[in-house]
Amino acid sequence: MSSAEPHISENSRPESRPVIRQLDDSAINRIAAGEVVERPASAVKELVENAIDAGATRITVEIADGGKTLIRVTDDGCGMTPEDLPLALSRHATSKIDGTDLLNIHTFGFRGEALPSLGAVGRLTITSRAAGYEAAQIRVSGGKLEPVKPAALRAGTIVELRDLFFATPARLKFMRTDRAESQAISDTVKRLAMAEPSVGFTLRDVSGGGDGRVTFRADPLSGDLFDALHGRLASVLGREFAENALKIDATREGIRLYGYAALPTYSRGAAVAQFLFVNTRPVKDKMLTGALRAAYFDFLSRDRHPAAALFIDCDPQLVDVNVHPAKSEVRFRDPGLARGLIVSSLRHALAEAGHRASTTVAGATLGAMKPEQPTAGGAPRIYQMDRPSYGARSLSYAAQSPDQPQAPSNDTPPSQGFAELAGAYSGRVTEVAEAPGAPGQPLDTPEAAAPGAERLPLGAACGQVHENYIIAQTADGMVIVDQHAAHERLVYEKLKRQMAENGVAAQALLIPEIVELSDNECACLLGVADELAKFGLGIEAFGGTAVAVRETPAILGEVNAEAMIKDILDELSDQGESQLVQAKIEAILSRVACHGSIRSGRRMRGEEMNALLREMEATPHSGQCNHGRPTYVELKLADIERLFGRT
């Protein structure tokens, strides 16, 4: 052996070549179950979707111990014949597609993996009866199939899954508590119930034996699509959501968006009330949730999240649902079209809502006025409204007597433009007053409010409390307005309109800032250069993978261009779009609006208060301030009388 040849010792010999083997069906099904069935809620999802695909009108789900020991799904669908049962437990056997076109899917299921996967990791029993056939039953336990045998069943199908994951004990270690798993199952059933208002759902927990207890029930609904959907959302998400949700219905280039989205003042502390459906399939899509967030980002603070149930209907050819075995992700052929439809439709609906605020604001106000509980010593109850601090400051009336001396004002100069506003809206008030049957009576002072102002949505100003809250009388109640928050929103909306009309002024940098990026980052950033230019951020390619920042938004002053570019790229990577520059600009406008609005502690004249109310009625989004808080509270006369025991 020459010295040039490598020397291989006995200890350094490679191991024997691995042998390629074909896995048996049992192992294949257990592996597939790891993707399809992550937890009991996943099993419930697959079984309920099968029942819906079978044309069921009523579906009952029974669980025990969070679904770990028992999941039973009963439906009144078309059922299966005795010959179908063994085939249904074979991998990739399905009646829902023929395999020729995987982009033309009109059913929930289509992969043919759920039943064999469940039979591989649990004890599965299927009892079914199709029209014109006798009922039959089949069992499979840990992948071992038993023969088909006769059974007793009038119609439909009963699928019973016991001891989930008994064949894969390691998976049981990853299960959460019974309560957590039950909650996950409940969420799954509720999502499917929202997707199918015409189907009745019942969820029952039978952990204690017997008939158990019903934890969720939704009766089938019929009639108009939006009426049925509204009723189903009320039963699933609660009456408060239904009362404070805006109807959404828009179509663009073959894609239809419909459903309901809540007012900004009805927001949540987490994204737990966001439900998205594509062709009635519940999905969790990052692009869609990002579009929902983008539609609300100017109306909510960062720690608040919108509530919505939105449905996208389109030709199955325009969306790919075969992305993941769990079928919870989708991929649109034109994601920008779907995203733009969501953002524009929601913003249009929010703008049409005008000054409307959620009814929960009034509910919270009434709750704060309820009597406190008596102390252990039997002390008398003290009402919130009777606390001494509430009467410590003065009340300035809009309807002051002409000969009464004007109350001294603060050093704050009068707000600009309210005299003009009062004149501009006087005609609108007069029209209402002159309408047939207008019952409004004029206030004590003519300039305080024109006759009939009580019939307008925010009524006629009667007074000011603590130099910050305007009290107005409406036709059927009263309104309390936070003057600073309301005027802040009005000024903010005016500044935004001016920015939209005139554009964002850009400030050219004396020396362009060069930012080095990776290939992907450079391509991604240049792809949105035109969008960024609308907000005053001018970038262009500088050669290689570098970009040159030549202009920045003038309103932001001196900025760290490189840090801003990096933040924009992070948003693009995480959400597929960036609102960083727009958010920074609008944050500046919000601060300007805050400093330029009526300050707390300033006494207002009657015409100023009424002008503020009229401007709120005419301005979109005036029901909440720049931070998402309500600008006014409306109390109905019936609620006020209930507080005083007059009902």
Side-chain angles (χ1 to χ4, degrees):
M1 183 175 68
S2 65
S3 59
E5 294 179 353
H7 175 70
I8 301 178
S9 65
E10 291 295 330
N11 294 333
S12 63
R13 287 184 181 277
E15 297 181 0
S16 60
R17 179 178 60 84
V19 179
I20 299 177
R21 300 182 180 88
Q22 177 68 51
L23 296 176
D24 58 42
D25 289 342
S26 178
I28 292 173
N29 288 335
R30 287 198 297 272
I31 293 172
E35 294 181 322
V36 178
V37 186
E38 300 176 1
R39 58 193 303 190
S42 304
V44 171
K45 172 183 176 293
E46 298 292 342
L47 296 178
V48 173
E49 286 181 349
N50 282 344
I52 295 174
D53 288 338
T57 59
R58 290 188 179 273
I59 300 173
T60 300
V61 180
E62 297 170 292
I63 63 172
D65 304 318
K68 301 173 187 175
T69 60
L70 172 66
I71 296 174
R72 184 187 297 120
V73 177
T74 305
D75 69 70
D76 60 354
C78 63
M80 291 179 283
T81 67
E83 292 76 17
D84 287 338
L85 290 177
L87 193 58
L89 292 171
S90 302
R91 279 179 55 77
H92 305 306
T94 179
S95 62
K96 301 169 186 179
I97 61 173
D98 59 9
T100 59
D101 190 356
L102 291 180
L103 291 179
N104 191 26
I105 296 172
H106 297 269
T107 56
F108 282 110
F110 58 89
R111 301 174 67 99
E113 290 184 315
L115 291 179
S117 297
L118 293 175
V121 296
R123 296 184 172 91
L124 185 68
T125 302
I126 303 177
T127 307
S128 188
R129 182 176 185 177
Y133 292 85
E134 295 295 326
Q137 184 180 90
I138 190 170
R139 297 177 185 271
V140 57
S141 179
K144 297 179 180 179
L145 193 64
E146 298 181 8
V148 178
K149 62 180 182 180
L153 185 65
R154 179 174 298 178
T157 302
I158 301 176
V159 181
E160 184 175 280
L161 177 63
R162 291 186 177 272
D163 303 326
L164 183 60
F165 298 131
F166 91 94
T168 53
R171 295 293 299 273
L172 289 172
K173 299 177 182 179
F174 294 92
M175 294 295 99
R176 301 176 66 182
T177 63
D178 292 352
R179 182 173 182 177
E181 297 295 349
S182 296
Q183 182 61 47
I185 291 174
S186 178
D187 291 342
T188 297
V189 173
K190 289 178 179 179
R191 286 180 184 271
L192 292 169
M194 285 187 279
E196 297 290 340
S198 61
V199 179
F201 292 84
T202 302
L203 177 60
R204 182 179 290 111
D205 192 330
V206 295
S207 300
D211 293 336
R213 61 184 181 88
V214 175
T215 59
F216 172 72
R217 181 182 180 89
D219 293 325
L221 301 173
S222 59
D224 177 74
L225 169 64
F226 281 96
D227 290 342
L229 180 58
H230 192 268
R232 179 55 55 90
L233 294 179
S235 63
V236 175
L237 301 181
R239 179 179 54 84
E240 286 185 347
F241 174 86
E243 290 178 347
N244 297 289
L246 305 173
K247 178 181 175 181
I248 309 295
D249 191 7
T251 303
R252 181 185 299 173
E253 298 183 27
I255 298 181
R256 182 190 182 192
L257 174 70
Y258 67 94
Y260 288 89
L263 293 164
T265 45
Y266 183 88
S267 59
R268 305 295 295 272
V272 295
Q274 297 177 5
F275 304 92
L276 300 169
F277 304 82
V278 176
N279 290 342
T280 70
R281 182 189 305 277
V283 298
K284 296 180 179 179
D285 186 86
K286 184 183 296 185
M287 185 274 292
L288 297 180
T289 55
L292 177 60
R293 181 172 53 250
Y296 279 86
F297 93 100
D298 191 33
F299 313 115
L300 295 176
S301 58
R302 288 186 175 270
D303 60 339
R304 304 298 298 178
H305 300 265
L310 301 176
F311 297 76
I312 293 180
D313 276 359
C314 63
D315 189 317
Q317 300 284 343
L318 300 178
V319 61
D320 184 7
V321 299
N322 192 24
V323 178
H324 188 273
K327 303 184 291 295
S328 60
E329 301 176 16
V330 295
R331 184 177 292 117
F332 286 91
R333 179 178 297 179
D334 187 354
L337 176 61
R339 182 189 180 279
L341 179 60
I342 292 175
V343 174
S344 61
S345 301
L346 289 180
R347 288 187 174 176
H348 180 72
L350 292 173
E352 283 193 334
H355 65 278
R356 181 181 168 192
S358 63
T359 59
T360 54
V361 177
T365 304
L366 292 169
M369 294 181 178
K370 291 182 179 179
E372 295 181 343
Q373 296 297 325
T375 60
R381 295 185 298 181
I382 301 177
Y383 286 80
Q384 299 274 355
M385 62 190 76
D386 291 336
R387 292 183 181 274
S389 60
Y390 277 75
R393 300 181 69 178
S394 62
L395 170 70
S396 62
Y397 289 93
Q400 254 181 331
S401 175
D403 55 352
Q404 184 176 351
Q406 180 70 28
S409 61
N410 293 357
D411 294 334
T412 307
S415 54
Q416 299 294 328
F418 272 102
E420 292 80 356
L421 284 176
Y425 286 93
S426 60
R428 182 181 172 198
V429 177
T430 305
E431 290 178 5
V432 176
E434 294 176 352
Q441 295 295 326
L443 299 177
D444 293 340
T445 307
E447 72 270 11
E454 294 89 346
R455 297 187 61 197
L456 293 172
L458 295 181
C462 298
Q464 184 186 26
V465 180
H466 297 291
E467 292 82 38
N468 189 54
Y469 300 100
I470 298 171
I471 309 298
Q473 179 178 328
T474 62
D476 59 351
M478 62 180 290
V479 170
I480 307 173
V481 179
D482 184 333
Q483 66 187 38
H484 172 69
H487 193 219
E488 180 182 12
R489 187 74 200 192
L490 298 179
V491 175
Y492 180 46
E493 291 296 326
K494 181 178 180 180
L495 292 174
K496 286 201 303 179
R497 287 195 300 270
Q498 292 175 350
M499 184 182 72
E501 294 170 357
N502 304 324
V504 179
Q507 173 179 291
L509 300 181
L510 183 62
I511 301 177
E513 187 164 345
I514 311 303
V515 182
E516 292 286 346
L517 304 171
S518 68
D519 290 339
N520 291 337
E521 290 175 337
C522 183
C524 182
L525 188 64
L526 293 176
V528 296
D530 292 341
E531 187 69 23
L532 295 176
K534 297 177 182 178
F535 297 100
L537 182 62
I539 60 173
E540 61 183 34
F542 190 70
T545 60
V547 296
V549 181
R550 298 192 177 278
E551 295 177 329
T552 59
I555 194 173
L556 298 183
E558 184 177 353
V559 299
N560 185 332
E562 181 176 1
M564 177 180 288
I565 292 297
K566 296 291 186 181
D567 289 342
I568 292 173
L569 286 169
D570 288 342
E571 278 195 343
L572 290 172
S573 175
D574 181 50
Q575 304 172 16
E577 48 89 24
S578 176
Q579 299 167 345
L580 178 68
V581 180
Q582 182 180 358
K584 286 181 176 292
I585 292 173
E586 293 187 344
I588 297 293
L589 296 182
S590 178
R591 287 197 291 271
V592 172
C594 181
H595 291 292
S597 59
I598 302 172
R599 310 303 299 175
S600 298
R602 181 191 180 282
R603 294 189 181 183
M604 298 178 64
R605 298 190 302 274
E607 62 269 22
E608 290 180 314
M609 287 188 266
N610 282 289
L612 178 64
L613 298 178
R614 304 291 81 79
E615 180 73 355
M616 289 177 65
E617 293 166 351
T619 303
H621 318 304
S622 61
Q624 65 274 340
C625 72
N626 301 351
H627 313 291
R629 295 187 295 270
T631 57
Y632 73 93
V633 176
E634 182 178 10
L635 301 178
K636 298 298 184 182
L637 183 59
D639 294 326
I640 300 173
E641 290 177 338
R642 193 176 299 115
L643 285 174
F644 291 94
R646 296 175 63 89
T647 57

